[in-house]
């Protein structure tokens, strides 16, 4: 029997284990974790690229949603909801949106048996349905800044390979839209949202990120500037973790967002949009999980502590009473706890099941713990085992949850720091990514053609360039030449393969 198999009290074998290797079979391993940890199922045949999000998976999204939603509201954002269908004429009002999303748009042409007078797009993004209403709501400088956000799903008919949470044809996200009196205010908004996305990864998901902006040729259609946070996965690929766009006045021009200034002159508003999707859940699963199953930081875990009582018939009552008291104390302290007192499963099965489901901390309570007035504590990430006194168990539990978070963050940080390398030539970029993956920093002239050379050879792209103030090549007489074409370098580019 493998270490992940156990036998219940009725003698039935229960296969809980992950059979694929994270290191050597990453794609298959990821799919197995998603399904065996009961996060998602694949949609019915004929609906390739869609998933069924199970309660355990949706609970992760709800907790992440709650974290971000509170931050948004603390900074002046109000939630709203707009139709999922967008008239074609609305979508075409901003030509860059149409050109940027046209290959991915799903269209509705009939309602029942009647052909529609105008096609309706299933929203690939909502600028073209939200912005016209912002234009109605903004009349004066007193109406600014205006900030709305919606939590919804969007549909993009991806032609590329799909993967649960990372890339699906329908996905859950939030999209915020704001209007401002001037560029400075709009740019500050853009960076505020980017900082909140950075916090979601670093302070909630235990994933360090890099932040910067997309190269001009890869910015959001119609945007002036697209900013991004990028997370590195253990397989060396980058995840675009969230984007915040300064749109300038292009959408205000297209949809007539004007306001009367204090001098009563009519002016165009400056707008932003920003979005964060459940791709973050894919990054969460990929970053922390292992060959035993899902691993979750305590911040996001639906169950933070699983209590497994261990008894024989003659000790059952006293062990259960003791375990129940511990569970009650933790629950009263606001800790999400599950007392696993099932008598149809043996302790070994329960250990494996809670490991598979990613519960950060396990308590083991048997006759010895009862006798010594203690609790045995086991950390999910590394199996570290210790004991704590029953007295003050809630405070000790919080310390252990913090330790687990710190372990997960440190491991992810070590991975990131070890996977950022430098290159000064085209061959160095290709060779480094081909051999190691990760990020490759290289001087870049700013020409898209130089990225295309790398992309054609090894399917890697420029995922980020540092902000101008963080890039010592920008606006200086730096001696570097572009790693690809040998023209003068103006920026630093981070090349990587990406999800």
């Amino acid at each position: 029997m493998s270490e992940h198999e156990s036998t219940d009290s009725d003698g039935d074998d229960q296969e809980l284990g992950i059979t694929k290797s994270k290191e050597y079979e990453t794609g298959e391993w990821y799919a197995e974790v998603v399904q065996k940890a009961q996060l998602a199922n694949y949609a019915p045949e004929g609906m390739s690229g869609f998933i069924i999000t199970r309660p355990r998976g949706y609970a992760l999204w709800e907790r992440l949603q709650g974290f971000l939603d509170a931050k948004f509201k603390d900074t002046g954002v109000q939630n709203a909801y707009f139709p999922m269908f967008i008239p074609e004429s609305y979508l075409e009002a901003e030509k860059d949106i149409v050109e940027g999303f046209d290959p991915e748009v799903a269209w509705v042409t009939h309602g029942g048996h009647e052909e529609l007078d105008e096609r309706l797009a299933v929203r690939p993004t909502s600028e073209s349905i939200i912005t016209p209403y912002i234009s109605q709501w903004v009349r004066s400088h007193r109406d600014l800044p205006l900030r709305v956000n919606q939590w919804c799903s969007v549909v993009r008919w991806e032609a590329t390979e799909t993967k649960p949470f990372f890339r699906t044809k329908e996905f859950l996200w939030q999209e915020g839209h704001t209007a401002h009196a001037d560029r400075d205010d709009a740019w500050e908004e853009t960076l505020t949202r980017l900082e909140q996305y950075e916090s979601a990864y670093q302070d909630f998901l235990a994933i360090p990120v890099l932040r910067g902006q997309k190269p001009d040729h890869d910015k959001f259609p119609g945007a002036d500037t697209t900013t991004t946070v990028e997370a590195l996965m253990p397989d060396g690929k980058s995840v675009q973790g969230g984007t915040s766009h300064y749109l300038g006045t292009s959408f205000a021009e297209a949809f007539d967002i004007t306001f009367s200034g204090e001098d009563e002159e009519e002016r165009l508003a400056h707008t932003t949009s920003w979005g964060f999707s459940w791709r973050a859940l894919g990054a969460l699963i990929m970053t922390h999980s292992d060959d035993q199953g899902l691993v979750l930081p305590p911040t996001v875990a639906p169950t933070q502590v699983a209590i497994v009582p261990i008894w024989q018939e003659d000790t059952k009552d006293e062990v259960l009473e003791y375990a129940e008291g511990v569970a009650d104390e933790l629950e009263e302290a606001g800790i999400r706890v599950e007392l696993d007192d099932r008598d149809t499963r043996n302790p070994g099965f329960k250990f494996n099941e809670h490991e598979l489901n990613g519960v950060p901390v396990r308590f083991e309570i048997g006759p010895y713990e009862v006798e010594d007035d203690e609790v045995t504590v086991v950390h999910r990430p590394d199996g570290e085992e210790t004991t704590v006194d029953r007295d003050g168990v809630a405070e000790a539990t919080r310390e252990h949850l913090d330790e687990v978070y710190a372990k997960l963050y440190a491991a992810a940080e070590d991975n990131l720091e070890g996977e950022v390398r430098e290159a000064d030539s085209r061959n160095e970029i290709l060779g480094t990514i081909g051999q190691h993956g990760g990020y490759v920093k290289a001087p870049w002239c700013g020409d898209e053609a130089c990225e295309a050379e790398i992309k054609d050879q090894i399917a890697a792209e420029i995922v980020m360039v540092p902000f101008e103030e963080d890039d010592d090549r920008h606006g200086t007489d730096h001696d570097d030449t572009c790693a690809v074409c040998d023209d003068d370098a103006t920026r630093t580019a981070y090349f990587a393969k990406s999800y």
Side-chain angles (χ1 to χ4, degrees), residues 197-472:
Y197 293 160
E198 182 180 28
S199 177
Y201 277 91
Q202 300 194 159
D203 302 327
F204 196 70
L205 300 179
I207 302 174
V209 293
L210 301 176
R211 68 174 192 161
Q213 62 191 72
K214 290 294 185 182
D216 284 345
H217 61 266
D218 193 29
K219 63 189 179 183
F220 180 78
D224 177 279
T225 306
T226 289
T227 66
T228 183
V229 290
E230 299 286 328
L232 184 66
M233 298 296 97
D235 63 354
K237 292 183 180 179
S238 184
V239 170
Q240 179 179 289
T243 51
S244 183
H245 317 285
Y246 167 56
L247 302 176
T249 57
S250 61
F251 283 84
E253 291 170 357
F255 295 100
D256 192 30
I257 306 178
T258 59
F259 65 95
S260 173
E262 292 186 38
D263 57 4
E264 298 187 356
E265 291 289 327
E266 284 290 307
R267 292 182 172 83
L268 281 169
H270 292 249
T271 64
T272 78
S273 67
W274 22 281
F276 184 102
S277 81
W278 71 8
R279 182 178 293 175
L281 298 185
L284 172 74
I285 298 161
M286 180 71 77
T287 297
H288 300 307
S289 302
D290 58 24
D291 288 350
Q292 280 69 55
L294 184 66
V295 177
L296 296 173
T299 42
V300 73
T303 299
Q304 295 173 310
V305 178
I307 300 177
V308 180
I310 304 166
W311 68 79
Q312 291 77 38
E313 279 306 312
D314 61 334
T315 59
K316 180 176 180 179
D317 290 344
E318 63 176 339
V319 167
L320 282 178
E321 182 180 359
Y322 186 92
E324 287 167 0
V326 173
D328 289 344
E329 185 171 335
L330 296 188
E331 190 170 359
E332 288 173 7
I335 294 167
R336 299 186 294 279
V337 59
E338 176 188 341
L339 173 58
D340 190 348
D341 58 358
R342 293 173 292 173
D343 56 13
T344 57
R345 299 297 188 198
N346 67 25
F349 180 95
K350 295 176 184 179
F351 295 166
N352 289 338
E353 185 175 54
H354 293 303
E355 285 183 359
L356 174 65
N357 291 335
V359 179
V361 168
R362 182 174 76 243
F363 282 5
E364 299 174 9
I365 296 176
Y368 293 121
E369 282 79 12
V370 175
E371 181 179 346
D372 295 337
D373 208 26
E374 293 179 339
V375 171
T376 296
V377 179
V378 183
H379 291 183
R380 168 63 180 90
D382 55 8
E384 181 183 352
E385 183 177 312
T386 188
T387 58
V388 299
D389 291 336
R390 170 69 178 81
D391 185 36
V393 69
E395 182 178 349
T397 300
R398 289 195 187 92
E399 292 174 359
H400 280 279
L401 294 174
D402 289 344
E403 286 180 28
V404 168
Y405 192 96
K407 286 179 180 180
L408 294 176
Y409 190 91
E413 189 173 43
D414 286 346
N415 177 64
L416 174 61
E417 290 177 353
E419 295 295 328
V420 179
R421 301 176 177 87
E422 297 192 14
D424 293 315
S425 70
R426 173 182 175 277
N427 288 339
E428 277 189 27
I429 297 172
L430 294 172
T432 302
I433 294 177
Q435 182 177 357
H436 302 288
Y439 295 115
V440 175
K441 292 170 58 178
W444 177 51
C445 64
D447 191 337
E448 181 181 0
C450 291
E451 180 199 52
E453 279 199 42
I454 304 300
K455 199 170 186 177
D456 291 344
Q457 290 290 317
I458 202 168
E461 59 189 348
I462 297 172
V463 297
M464 187 201 76
V465 295
F467 288 119
E468 294 176 359
E469 59 270 24
D470 299 330
D471 192 343
D472 61 5

Side-chain angles (χ1 to χ4, degrees), residues 463-488:
V463 297
M464 187 201 76
V465 295
F467 288 119
E468 294 176 359
E469 59 270 24
D470 299 330
D471 192 343
D472 61 5
R473 287 188 173 88
H474 183 76
T476 70
D477 295 326
H478 207 282
D479 292 335
D480 282 349
T481 58
C482 176
V484 180
C485 72
D486 290 333
D487 285 348
D488 289 342

